Amino acid sequence: DMKVTQMPRYLIKRMGENVLLECGQDMSHETMYWYRQDPGLGLQLIYISYDVDSNSEGDIPKGYRVSRKKREHFSLILDSAKTNQTSVYFCASSLSTALPAEVFFGKGTRLTVV
Amino acid sequence: AQKVTQTQTSISVMEKTTVTMDCVYETQDSSYFLFWYKQTASGEIVFLIRQDSYKKENATVGHYSLNFQKPKSSIGLIITATQIEDSAVYFCAMREEGFASALTFGSGTKVIVLP
């Protein structure tokens, strides 16, 4: 069963705390992504990873960093979370950016920073 | 830089009728790919249909079809014979050709199918 799994699904953190969002995929996809979704703005790309230790900033990378040490696993880290990082975060994966392949999305993590 | 715009915030339609959603895009590339995704009430995002810029024929998958008007940089989604479960938010997205490219999304159109 092809899927992208995100953990946790819901998270509440205090301002200034560190946040770790985890994502896994079982399709051996090369490319993985982190997006955030805010009302009225659609999905905005935070980071893209082309493979292990090959990451690139997306459109809104400020305040975030990522880690990809295994092909199937991609983490999003918020160092010292801010209230404006309250959002729904989606992880996604695709076979390769060399192809216009379908992008598969996880179910999202709803992060609230108070 | 690529940009995708969906101006319709919400559309209500009667069940079993046809709904059309608009999307316009901006790109400097001559080759690109256009997608429509559906986000259900549970938040799940699923791929629906894709149009490659070099193809003149409009893509069709099941009761989803596209109205691709390249000179107008427009890619509309048409859903025929709508069902209650088609109620969702629909996102238009594009990707330019190139290794480093990722999907850029529009802001979404909420479709409400009424019984």
Side-chain angles (χ1 to χ4, degrees), chain B residues 19-113:
Chain B
V19 62
T20 300
M21 283 162 268
D22 301 326
C23 174
V24 293
Y25 57 89
E26 297 176 25
T27 179
Q28 303 299 320
D29 276 19
S30 57
S31 182
Y32 48 89
F33 308 96
L34 300 162
F35 304 82
W36 280 90
Y37 282 80
K38 172 184 178 181
Q39 185 172 35
T40 63
S42 66
E44 187 179 7
I45 300 172
V46 295
F47 164 76
L48 293 178
I49 191 169
R50 173 184 125 199
Q51 179 79 39
D52 298 345
S53 63
Y54 57 86
K55 291 186 177 179
K56 293 186 178 180
E57 189 172 313
N58 290 320
T60 297
V61 175
H63 74 146
Y64 303 106
S65 61
L66 298 178
N67 179 18
F68 181 39
Q69 299 184 59
K70 195 170 183 179
K72 295 184 178 180
S73 296
S74 171
I75 183 75
L77 174 67
I78 303 162
I79 308 175
T80 57
T82 53
Q83 302 165 358
I84 299 296
E85 49 267 35
D86 291 322
S87 297
V89 178
Y90 291 83
F91 289 98
C92 177
M94 77 170 293
R95 214 206 96 176
E96 294 170 337
E97 193 171 51
F99 176 77
S101 187
L103 287 174
T104 295
F105 286 84
S107 55
T109 296
K110 183 175 184 178
V111 171
I112 302 167
V113 180

Side-chain angles (χ1 to χ4, degrees), chain A residues 25 28-30 32 51-52 68-73:
Chain A
Q25 49 97 0
S28 298
H29 284 172
E30 286 184 358
M32 296 187 74
D51 211 328
V52 172
R68 192 167 179 203
K69 297 302 181 183
K70 294 182 179 180
R71 178 172 278 193
E72 64 271 19
H73 193 251

